[in-house]
Amino acid sequence: MIKKNYLSFPEYDLKEILKSSQENKLVFFIGSGFSKFSETELIKIPNWSELIDELKEDLNLPNENDFLKIAQLYFLKYGQHSYTQKVKSTIKKLEPSAFHRNLFDIAPHYIITTNWDDLLEKTAQDMGYAYDLISSDVDLAQSQLDKKIIKMHGDFRQHNFVFKEDDYLQYSQNFPLIENYIKGIFSTSTIVFLGYSYSDYDLKQIVSWVSNISKATPKKYLLQKSFDDAQAHYLKNHGISLLTPINYNNSYQDVYFNFFNDLKTVRNQNELLKKVFVSVESQIKRIEDDLTISLPDQMSMKAEINNFLQNKINKTLDSKFIALSQYKALLPEQVSRKLTNCTIDYNVSTGITLIAHDKFLTGDYDIYNRKINN
């Protein structure tokens, strides 16, 4: 079918994510890689691996590879103040990226993050969305809003950030409510991990949680740039599926742009219609004028356009309207209202004709919808 060529990700998975959003069961799990989209040419932020490398250099431990142990050794050698200032130096004054805004456009029930920055809560505030900010058990106990941004590794505002070995070993004692709350979320919600790499220690800790939860839970996805068979098997064993583009993308910027754009397209059928028409407009004209296109291809293209138009008539994503498919017969006006730029012509000799207008204002300004309807 033509429309599948215009999505970078599998349509089935996109629909599963959107369905979860509609049922208020979608959760985005945000890692450090997501914050890097807010970087500018002058301001860069280190990821966890880069910060650990700085600690290793200060400690003169080039061969040590245990991340939590390195952070613990830095704390023990240089003390609480120097340790806190070193970790805090990774937080830069940055503005949310377009991808941060895209997150909230999908209306997740929860956004959980291991990041310490304030980009998520700042985005919610800028966009006027009501989410409670949770970075401690006290916050969770006092939370009243249904939707929440959960900073499971604390933050600098409450001086409870999680980074060194002791923090992880004592997590169940320091964050008992948050830990159990998140485990409950994993049991009932669709989770989409964004900004994590396969090698992130954070992800490995979370995966160990998932493995202890019943297998009969909603799907969990990890967005990656490309498919890797070994990674896929490892994650599948822990109940997580790799979500990768159908075709290879050159950068994570492209991957995330296409991911959010695909969600927008699948959610809004008009956007999908536009994509189809922009790409195949010239081919449709050749169907009429050029005999070099095979008859099966002609029929396939025409059938695809017809299917889209039928979907517009038979159903709607807006619950305020009743799907026309319930009726045994339709009035011509019902059809014309669905197609927006069409009117009805009644003629004694020719009968009833549906006319698609190209230049007259009859309900919308959308040039692509008009062309498709015509």
Side-chain angles (χ1 to χ4, degrees):
M1 295 174 67
I2 288 178
K3 62 181 178 181
K4 292 185 178 179
N5 297 332
Y6 303 96
L7 296 174
S8 298
F9 289 85
E11 185 177 4
Y12 174 82
D13 293 324
L14 297 170
K15 286 184 174 180
E16 283 290 303
I17 292 171
L18 290 173
K19 180 182 177 183
S20 299
S21 174
Q22 292 170 352
E23 295 174 349
N24 209 26
K25 292 184 177 181
L26 175 63
V27 178
F28 285 122
F29 215 116
I30 306 301
S32 60
F34 202 82
S35 295
K36 293 183 77 66
F37 290 124
S38 292
E39 290 182 336
T40 67
E41 292 185 5
L42 298 177
I43 303 177
K44 306 295 182 183
I45 52 177
N47 58 31
W48 200 6
S49 296
E50 291 166 340
L51 174 58
I52 289 295
D53 285 341
E54 291 183 25
L55 301 187
K56 287 170 64 174
E57 184 175 350
D58 291 346
L59 292 166
N60 193 25
L61 295 172
N63 298 321
E64 180 60 65
N65 295 315
D66 186 331
F67 282 14
L68 302 188
K69 180 179 178 181
I70 292 167
Q72 186 71 37
L73 289 173
Y74 193 97
F75 172 81
L76 294 173
K77 181 174 182 178
Y78 294 107
Q80 175 75 49
H81 179 74
S82 296
Y83 165 76
T84 300
Q85 291 304 115
K86 184 69 172 182
V87 179
K88 198 173 181 178
S89 68
T90 63
I91 306 300
K92 310 294 183 181
K93 190 173 182 180
L94 294 167
E95 293 300 315
S97 68
F99 297 137
H100 284 87
R101 294 186 288 274
N102 291 150
L103 284 178
F104 289 91
D105 286 338
I106 310 301
H109 191 185
Y110 302 110
I111 298 179
I112 305 174
T113 183
T114 50
N115 298 342
W116 305 308
D117 59 59
D118 63 354
L119 292 171
L120 290 169
E121 52 264 44
K122 188 173 183 180
T123 307
Q125 184 176 13
D126 291 347
M127 297 180 71
Y129 288 113
Y131 281 76
D132 266 343
L133 178 62
I134 310 297
S135 54
S136 70
D137 278 11
V138 173
D139 290 339
L140 184 58
Q142 296 176 348
S143 175
Q144 297 182 8
L145 295 178
D146 182 47
K147 295 191 172 184
K148 310 180 196 304
I149 297 171
I150 302 174
K151 304 180 80 169
M152 64 173 290
H153 280 180
D155 60 18
F156 297 109
R157 178 174 55 91
Q158 299 202 37
H159 309 288
N160 65 343
F161 67 94
V162 174
F163 185 55
K164 63 185 188 298
E165 188 174 51
D166 281 353
D167 298 332
Y168 280 88
L169 293 175
Q170 298 169 10
Y171 189 85
S172 295
Q173 289 75 43
N174 296 334
F175 297 86
L177 292 183
I178 287 181
E179 181 179 44
N180 287 312
Y181 195 77
I182 293 176
K183 287 181 178 179
I185 290 172
F186 268 88
S187 300
T188 58
S189 303
T190 297
I191 314 291
V192 182
F193 292 94
L194 303 175
Y196 288 97
S197 69
Y198 171 67
S199 59
D200 279 350
Y201 189 84
D202 274 342
L203 181 62
K204 295 182 184 297
Q205 290 290 106
I206 296 162
V207 163
S208 69
W209 280 9
V210 178
S211 63
N212 294 323
I213 298 174
S214 170
K215 300 296 182 182
T217 60
K219 291 202 71 170
K220 294 159 185 61
Y221 298 96
L222 173 66
L223 187 66
Q224 287 278 346
K225 183 167 64 172
S226 57
F227 184 83
D228 181 277
D229 192 58
Q231 292 183 23
H233 279 89
Y234 172 81
L235 293 171
K236 184 178 181 181
N237 189 50
H238 295 283
I240 299 176
S241 301
L242 271 184
L243 182 60
T244 56
I246 297 170
N247 298 313
Y248 177 76
N249 292 84
N250 291 325
S251 70
Y252 266 105
Q253 190 87 16
D254 293 335
V255 171
Y256 278 79
F257 174 83
N258 290 331
F259 172 67
F260 286 115
N261 198 44
D262 279 2
L263 287 173
K264 178 181 177 182
T265 298
V266 173
R267 183 175 57 176
N268 185 345
Q269 289 298 307
N270 284 339
E271 290 295 323
L272 189 52
L273 282 167
K274 291 178 187 180
K275 280 193 172 187
V276 171
F277 197 91
V278 168
S279 182
V280 304
E281 185 177 17
S282 61
Q283 298 181 57
I284 293 174
K285 187 176 186 304
R286 288 175 60 200
I287 291 176
E288 301 171 352
D289 302 336
D290 193 339
L291 296 179
T292 60
I293 295 183
S294 67
L295 182 59
D297 286 342
Q298 294 182 36
M299 294 175 64
S300 176
M301 290 183 200
K302 287 183 177 179
E304 190 65 32
I305 297 300
N306 285 337
N307 285 338
F308 282 127
L309 295 178
Q310 282 184 343
N311 285 336
K312 291 186 72 174
I313 295 172
N314 289 337
K315 62 183 179 181
T316 176
L317 297 178
D318 195 331
S319 60
K320 293 184 296 183
F321 297 99
I322 301 174
L324 299 184
S325 58
Q326 66 175 316
Y327 301 116
K328 294 182 179 179
L330 297 177
L331 294 174
E333 288 79 9
Q334 289 177 292
V335 177
S336 66
R337 282 198 297 269
K338 282 291 186 178
L339 301 182
T340 67
N341 61 303
C342 299
T343 57
I344 303 297
D345 178 57
Y346 295 92
N347 188 287
V348 175
S349 60
T350 61
I352 302 173
T353 306
L354 183 68
I355 303 175
H357 298 283
D358 190 32
K359 297 180 180 179
F360 302 104
L361 176 61
T362 56
D364 68 31
Y365 294 91
D366 196 306
I367 184 174
Y368 299 109
N369 280 346
R370 292 186 173 206
K371 287 182 177 180
I372 291 167
N373 292 345
N374 191 45

